[in-house]
Amino acid sequence: MADESSASFPGPRADIGVTGLAVMGRNLARNFARNGHVTALYNRTQSRVDELIEQFGDEGDFVPSTDLKSFVASLKRPRRIMIMVKAGKATDAVIDELVPLLEEGDIVIDGGNAHFDDTRRREQALKAKGLHFVGTGVSGGEEGALNGPSIMPGGSKESYEALGPILESIAVAVDGTPCCTYVGPDGAGHFVKMVHNGIEYADMQLIAEAYELLRQGLGKTPAELADVFRTWNEGDLESFLIEITARVLDKTHPGADGSPVPLVDLIVDAAEQKGTGRWTVQTALELGVPTTGIAEAVFARSLSGSVDQRKAVQAAGTLVGPTGGSLAGAEAEGFVDAVRDALYASKVVAYAQGFDMIQAGSDQYGWDVDKGAMATIWRGGCIIRAQFLNRIKEAYDKDAHLASLLLDEYFAAAVGNAQDSWRRVVATAVRLGIPVPGFSSALSYYDGLRRERLGAALVQGQRDLFGAHTYGRVDKPGTFHTLWSGDGSEERQDAH
């Protein structure tokens, strides 16, 4: 498949190549070079290659190219090429250009936020041509890409043998272990990255609810809340997101009169989203996994973005809320600690649901994903890195087939001990009219999971009445249907 014109290139010497040199691609290329890998560079817009060499060329050994053929020819076999372009059609376009220039055994890596179904399709198409396609989740933003991200590569085990050591060398390490490991075949890497992003949505929503509860419920200022989150970051809640929450709440800008105004009060309260959260919820629905925390986080962003509708409702003034908007006296006593407990318990539920989804995807597609290994590589570099991921790793190390993270001895005790505070916080929010979809859905999930009997028995009875959908019974085996429009007798439907 290699183009003969590449033969004029002075010789392959690059260990890995990066095409697509926007911020993430540029920083990953610099990371490769900083870690001793000769790095080939190509970008459709040549100025990005030139700028990288001009500004950062002294950070390592770069091989810039002005055309794709020279770029491919500069790489050692098996060629390892990382694509860092916009997900979707742009990725397909780059692949279509690359494939005719490659040879059997070469490795194409997609480091963007691709949908895992696209990755599965591409992996099959390239496999038919004798090429390896590695869908790779990369988390940590532009800083992580430069200084050490968490990396989630899928694809064939053979490709990881050739690619893994390079990726592990640029990933951040925690306790000497790189935050990079082989995830599983075809789309497994991008699937796990999608779930990671879904958990990220839930985590951020829960933190925002904690902020709103303390801001509105106790009347605390952003500066005071920055101190609260800094304190929380010294305990079980220690995480990157809690850390940056304190930084955001501390930030001020000059107001109209020149006096400092909290930045959070100047930011439009409409949260944007790029789609990975929606993908997670859509896929969870298809797999039948109740990722309620992630779903509520996605819907909360959608509601916040419905600016015109919200303005119309507020202008109309017809939707009334409760009178009195804050806590005082005995009601306020210990409320900060209660919110902290509710936040921790709700985060545990969100992560438990995310790991349930990873298991469901692994079962559906035959990936054999190691959930403990995913907790291990999420401990550093990525956005959801948190101290309690060590606890999650320990839970799956003890029982790789744990039915729910909530059944682990540590987490069962932690959530159980927090439940009185959790219930107090949700009840208080309802009474004050403060929306807490993340906290309340997490608590409802917890209560639903622990109940011996659910109202679903009635739902199944209704389904049988209007649609003859049948039902099972607790007292005997089989599938049954009641003749609701007949004499009311029951028939067994699975009898032969």
Side-chain angles (χ1 to χ4, degrees):
M1 280 183 281
D3 191 296
E4 292 300 324
S5 63
S6 66
S8 61
F9 195 84
R13 66 183 188 88
D15 302 307
I16 192 164
V18 180
T19 177
L21 299 176
V23 174
M24 284 292 290
R26 179 186 66 193
N27 283 2
L28 281 170
R30 292 172 60 195
N31 194 347
F32 284 127
R34 284 176 167 187
N35 281 280
H37 306 293
V38 180
T39 305
L41 305 173
Y42 174 72
N43 195 81
R44 187 180 297 274
T45 304
Q46 181 62 30
S47 59
R48 285 188 171 171
V49 177
D50 298 338
E51 288 168 5
L52 193 158
I53 295 298
E54 181 180 349
Q55 296 176 32
F56 309 109
D58 60 351
E59 292 185 340
D61 196 348
F62 295 104
V63 182
S65 295
T66 58
D67 62 84
L68 200 59
K69 292 177 182 177
S70 297
F71 170 72
V72 170
S74 70
L75 290 155
K76 299 174 185 175
R77 298 288 318 283
R79 299 182 180 95
R80 290 163 283 228
I81 299 173
M82 177 166 272
I83 300 172
M84 295 299 298
V85 300
K86 188 175 180 180
K89 293 181 179 179
T91 301
D92 283 324
V94 172
I95 292 171
D96 289 344
E97 285 185 280
L98 273 174
V99 166
L101 306 175
L102 302 179
E103 298 175 89
E104 185 174 347
D106 287 349
I107 304 167
V108 178
I109 311 125
D110 178 10
N113 272 332
H115 193 286
F116 76 96
D117 273 337
D118 286 338
T119 301
R120 298 186 75 221
R121 167 179 58 80
R122 291 164 181 153
E123 195 269 343
Q124 288 298 309
L126 267 64
K127 181 187 290 185
K129 299 177 183 296
L131 303 172
H132 297 283
F133 186 78
V134 179
T136 301
V138 179
S139 179
E142 57 184 272
E143 182 178 342
L146 180 61
N147 297 315
S150 173
I151 308 177
M152 296 151 258
S156 67
K157 287 186 177 180
E158 182 185 351
S159 66
Y160 193 76
E161 290 176 5
L163 178 63
I166 294 179
L167 295 182
E168 290 176 14
S169 73
I170 70 161
V172 70
V174 175
D175 298 330
T177 301
C179 290
C180 172
T181 191
Y182 175 68
V183 176
D186 56 72
H190 275 146
F191 183 93
V192 166
K193 177 56 162 58
M194 176 188 71
V195 175
H196 164 284
N197 285 19
I199 294 172
E200 178 185 312
Y201 272 58
D203 208 340
M204 293 174 73
Q205 174 64 25
L206 293 170
I207 292 171
E209 291 178 18
Y211 156 77
E212 189 72 1
L213 281 161
L214 298 179
R215 182 87 190 266
Q216 301 302 321
L218 294 180
K220 289 188 175 292
T221 67
E224 290 171 331
L225 290 174
D227 288 336
V228 169
F229 279 96
R230 267 191 292 270
T231 300
W232 287 355
N233 198 47
E234 295 172 357
D236 289 342
L237 281 171
E238 181 188 341
S239 67
F240 173 70
L241 287 172
I242 295 290
E243 175 192 337
I244 67 170
T245 298
R247 291 175 58 189
V248 172
L249 292 174
D250 248 345
K251 185 69 174 174
T252 62
H253 277 282
D257 62 355
S259 59
V261 177
L263 173 63
V264 72
D265 289 344
L266 299 174
I267 297 174
V268 175
D269 61 333
E272 298 179 355
Q273 49 187 317
K274 291 187 175 180
T276 49
R278 285 196 299 269
W279 290 352
T280 310
V281 176
Q282 290 163 352
T283 305
L285 288 171
E286 293 168 0
L287 292 171
V289 182
T291 55
T292 56
I294 299 170
E296 290 295 351
V298 172
F299 293 143
R301 290 198 189 190
S302 298
L303 177 60
S304 77
S306 302
V307 177
D308 291 341
Q309 184 184 43
R310 289 168 57 209
K311 285 182 177 178
V313 169
Q314 291 154 22
T318 56
L319 300 185
V320 298
T323 57
S326 61
L327 303 176
E331 285 186 321
E333 188 71 28
F335 193 65
V336 171
D337 290 338
V339 171
R340 179 238 173 255
D341 289 346
L343 175 58
Y344 188 76
S346 299
K347 281 164 68 80
V348 171
V349 168
Y351 280 71
Q353 292 178 346
F355 277 95
D356 286 349
M357 185 170 173
I358 289 174
Q359 184 62 59
S362 181
D363 291 343
Q364 175 72 21
Y365 299 106
W367 289 329
D368 194 26
V369 177
D370 183 338
K371 298 192 293 295
M374 297 308 98
T376 299
I377 66 171
W378 286 352
R379 294 182 304 164
C382 68
I383 303 302
I384 65 171
R385 59 186 183 266
Q387 183 188 83
F388 85 154
L389 280 160
N390 283 308
R391 296 283 191 180
I392 295 176
K393 175 186 180 299
E394 290 169 4
Y396 286 119
D397 283 347
K398 285 188 293 185
D399 184 358
H401 304 291
L402 196 62
S404 168
L405 194 60
L406 291 165
L407 293 178
D408 173 71
E409 183 179 358
Y410 169 81
F411 287 113
V415 174
N417 291 336
Q419 72 163 315
D420 287 346
S421 294
W422 201 3
R423 296 181 194 284
R424 174 192 174 188
V425 166
V426 171
T428 301
V430 172
R431 184 166 60 80
L432 297 179
I434 299 173
V436 286
F439 280 9
S440 58
S441 69
L443 181 57
S444 292
Y445 175 85
Y446 174 78
D447 283 337
L449 199 62
R450 68 179 185 80
R451 288 288 297 277
E452 183 178 350
R453 290 277 292 172
L454 295 172
L458 176 58
V459 172
Q460 201 62 10
Q462 293 169 331
R463 294 181 73 246
D464 186 61
L465 190 153
F466 68 67
H469 293 296
T470 74
Y471 52 86
R473 290 182 52 146
V474 298
D475 56 343
K476 55 186 176 182
T479 302
F480 301 88
H481 167 60
T482 291
L483 301 176
W484 301 98
S485 299
D487 62 7
S489 62
E490 182 181 73
E491 292 182 344
R492 181 166 175 171
Q493 299 296 297
D494 61 337
H496 297 287

